[in-house]
Amino acid sequence: MSTEAKTVTESKSTIQFLVVTAIFIALTYLFTAFINVRLPIAANGGLIHLGNVPLFIGAIIFGKKTGMIAGGVGMGLFDLLSGWTLWAPFTFVIVGLMGYVVGRITEKPSHQKFQWYVVAIGAALVIKIVGYYIAEAIIYHSLVAPVTSIPGNVVQILVAAVIVLIVIAPLNVAAKKVGLK
């Protein structure tokens, strides 16, 4: 391959990465902002949303970098724009790590299977519970108060897991057919 052809290929790849990642940032933000339920039972408020659905799909299909950026920026942006500003730095790190780990676990071709998707989403669940427990302990100066958020975090990830596990195989096939993967 000539140097010019290689440069064009690299440019197309970079443009594709930027466009796909921007789309998943937007989807993660939109699914967090507009498809959600505020929890009246949690002492600290709380929100169950579907932002994890595009986050997990982006990470599984397009990899750890897209997952990390889409999760951290998409949900961090939600926090900044919705009045949860104090949470934004924590969300950026926690959800960015969730996206990275899901993408990292599923990036090998041999890990593009249902059981690996379950493992990856399970790892994201652990990161979410531990990460937000620590964040709430810092914000509320309490080791007890964050416990009330754990059930909502579990429900949020489990709902996203069910949806993602149903749609990921056909989406993977579609991404391959149109040359995105």
Side-chain angles (χ1 to χ4, degrees):
M1 180 183 297
S2 72
T3 305
E4 186 177 317
K6 187 175 180 182
T7 302
V8 169
T9 301
E10 288 173 358
S11 293
K12 285 181 181 178
S13 177
T14 300
I15 292 167
Q16 177 181 319
F17 169 76
L18 291 172
V19 170
V20 164
T21 301
I23 289 168
F24 277 94
I25 289 170
L27 289 171
T28 300
Y29 170 78
L30 291 169
F31 276 54
T32 304
F34 299 110
I35 308 174
N36 65 56
V37 175
R38 295 211 185 263
L39 294 176
I41 58 170
N44 306 324
L47 186 72
I48 292 183
H49 58 77
L50 292 184
N52 293 296
V53 172
L55 162 62
F56 294 155
I57 290 170
I60 290 168
I61 295 176
F62 298 105
K64 60 190 175 210
K65 287 187 348 186
T66 294
M68 178 178 66
I69 296 167
V73 175
M75 285 194 205
L77 188 60
F78 167 78
D79 284 351
L80 287 173
L81 297 175
S82 67
W84 299 59
T85 309
L86 183 60
W87 291 92
F90 296 105
T91 295
F92 183 79
V93 172
I94 295 163
V95 183
L97 183 59
M98 287 169 52
Y100 180 87
V101 168
V102 169
R104 177 76 171 93
I105 289 172
T106 60
E107 72 184 354
K108 290 182 183 177
S110 64
H111 289 187
Q112 286 285 309
K113 296 178 181 167
F114 183 85
Q115 65 267 26
W116 285 105
Y117 302 152
V118 172
V119 167
I121 293 170
L125 173 62
V126 170
I127 292 166
K128 183 172 198 80
I129 290 171
V130 171
Y132 279 107
Y133 179 90
I134 292 168
E136 284 191 49
I138 292 168
I139 290 170
Y140 297 118
H141 306 289
S142 169
L143 296 177
V144 177
V147 173
T148 63
S149 296
I150 293 172
N153 287 334
V154 171
V155 168
Q156 186 180 107
I157 297 296
L158 291 179
V159 168
V162 169
I163 295 167
V164 170
L165 293 171
I166 289 169
V167 302
I168 196 65
L171 289 176
N172 247 331
V173 170
K176 288 176 185 172
K177 279 186 181 179
V178 297
L180 290 175
K181 193 165 181 180

